[in-house]
Amino acid sequence: MIFDRLPPLQTLRAFEATGRLSSMTLAAAELHVTHGAISRQIRMLEEHLGIKLFLRLTRQIILTEEGAEFHHAITRILGELTGESERLRGRNPAMSLRISTGVSFASKWLAPRLSRLKARYPEFDVHLDVTDINADLNSGQVDAAIRYGNGRYRNASAERILEETVTPVCSPGYLSAHNGLADIRALSDCVLLHEDRMLANWEAWFAMVGEKNLRCHQGPSWSHGSMVAEAAIRGEGVALGRSVLIADDIAAGRLVVPFPQYKLKAERGYDLVYRTGSQDTPKVRALRVWLSEEMRSLEE
């Protein structure tokens, strides 16, 4: 049969997420599997098709020309399959909680906690839409969004759920290799890792601690805070870590904080954004309550 030649569905899900997020790490977080599982699924799909779907570069993974064409087709097909499945199952839209949020917050904070939201409100079918493009909350495609911003959003209401600070972090091995970073001037022997477009950057942090003229080795920069944190975990240098994104890595011992007394307030914070007037609907109210509980535990 022709269907016997189809690749396994799990390989297509891994491929779709990796291609959309340009990261196996982020795809693994979204699908609640390990990085190794995603890598194996991609390799299996490439062997099945007999082509390379990705170019694996030093710090990123990008679709090949054939991979991009296949990704476009798979995205369309999986979207149609999902829509038809939901129609046939007759799911009640009122019981579907769709949350839009950015790549870094999803991978480093929300996705690892999503099972707790589902356990707290089993009546809702929770779906996470991961994108750095602001969703249109008036289109009905998502119920609420968690955004890293300034608190002002067009045609929507928002409430600040968490402020954020930045502070230097590195791997335990990197700290040991640099004699424990006994004082701030020891950073002059370190490679500094950067997040693009952050005003709360190394220059601002050094100015805050009174060392604005300190000369350090300028390392690479990334578009996402989660990628900066991952580079620090790999021991590539010292990152100016965002407090929310690094909380779990610090708790797990993957990152250490050499100067905990010096925290610079970030210019943005995390906002829960929703359609104006929808704050007391069952779905949005449930999300607000759960986020409030989680944020309190984070601040303790």
Side-chain angles (χ1 to χ4, degrees):
M1 293 178 59
I2 188 172
F3 295 120
D4 293 337
R5 298 166 59 188
L6 289 173
L9 179 60
Q10 63 267 30
T11 66
L12 300 179
R13 292 184 66 207
F15 169 65
E16 186 280 326
T18 302
R20 170 165 46 85
L21 300 171
S22 298
S23 168
M24 289 188 184
T25 299
L26 299 181
E30 179 176 303
L31 297 178
H32 307 291
V33 297
T34 65
H35 181 282
I38 293 292
S39 179
R40 287 191 295 274
Q41 295 295 343
I42 296 297
R43 188 164 57 251
M44 183 186 305
L45 182 59
E46 289 179 327
E47 291 173 354
H48 180 92
L49 297 173
I51 60 172
K52 286 291 183 183
L53 297 169
F54 292 98
L55 293 176
R56 292 160 174 83
L57 307 179
T58 303
R59 291 190 177 90
Q60 65 180 138
I61 181 170
I62 60 175
L63 289 162
T64 63
E65 183 177 350
E66 295 87 352
E69 293 176 357
F70 191 57
H71 190 268
H72 178 75
I74 290 302
T75 300
R76 175 180 56 80
I77 292 168
L78 290 179
E80 292 176 355
L81 180 60
T82 300
E84 186 63 15
S85 297
E86 292 184 357
R87 184 187 69 80
L88 292 175
R89 283 159 52 189
R91 286 176 16 179
N92 183 356
M95 293 294 100
S96 176
L97 172 56
R98 300 181 67 91
I99 308 165
S100 173
T101 192
V103 172
S104 288
F105 185 75
S107 64
K108 301 296 287 185
W109 195 89
L110 186 55
R113 290 167 172 79
L114 211 58
S115 60
R116 300 213 287 256
L117 174 59
K118 293 180 179 179
R120 180 78 161 78
Y121 296 102
E123 66 271 26
F124 292 124
D125 181 16
V126 180
H127 177 80
L128 189 59
D129 180 20
V130 182
T131 176
D132 286 328
I133 300 174
N134 286 346
D136 181 1
L137 292 161
N138 295 299
S139 68
Q141 296 299 308
V142 298
D143 298 296
I146 301 172
R147 289 287 175 238
Y148 187 55
N150 59 13
R152 298 186 298 274
Y153 304 89
R154 294 182 60 187
N155 303 318
S157 297
E159 55 188 82
R160 178 58 50 92
I161 57 176
L162 193 67
E163 299 290 354
E164 189 167 53
T165 59
V166 298
T167 193
V169 292
C170 61
S171 69
Y174 197 89
L175 185 71
S176 177
H178 290 78
N179 300 313
L181 292 176
D183 58 59
I184 291 172
R185 298 193 66 81
L187 289 171
S188 62
D189 295 324
C190 299
V191 174
L192 302 186
L193 309 175
H194 307 264
E195 179 179 351
D196 295 337
R197 300 184 300 278
M198 282 288 288
L199 297 181
N201 54 25
W202 278 109
E203 182 180 3
W205 188 85
F206 280 126
M208 181 191 73
V209 300
E211 294 285 357
K212 62 181 180 181
N213 295 320
L214 191 64
R215 296 286 180 242
C216 299
H217 301 290
Q218 296 299 301
S221 64
W222 284 265
S223 59
H224 291 80
S226 57
M227 295 178 179
V228 183
E230 291 297 326
I233 291 171
R234 293 192 297 268
E236 296 177 13
V238 182
L240 203 55
R242 294 206 260 132
S243 55
V244 176
L245 304 186
I246 61 177
D248 288 352
D249 293 319
I250 292 172
R254 292 185 290 268
L255 289 174
V256 292
V257 184
F259 311 109
Q261 69 274 36
Y262 295 116
K263 296 179 181 179
L264 175 65
K265 188 178 184 299
E267 69 272 17
R268 290 174 286 176
Y270 291 93
D271 301 309
L272 177 63
V273 191
Y274 41 79
R275 290 185 297 278
T276 300
S278 69
Q279 65 270 21
D280 290 321
T281 60
K283 289 187 287 187
V284 176
R285 184 170 62 248
L287 182 58
R288 293 172 70 205
V289 170
W290 178 77
L291 282 171
S292 177
E293 294 171 351
E294 290 290 329
M295 294 305 175
R296 278 200 301 272
S297 66
L298 185 66
E299 293 170 343
E300 291 175 353

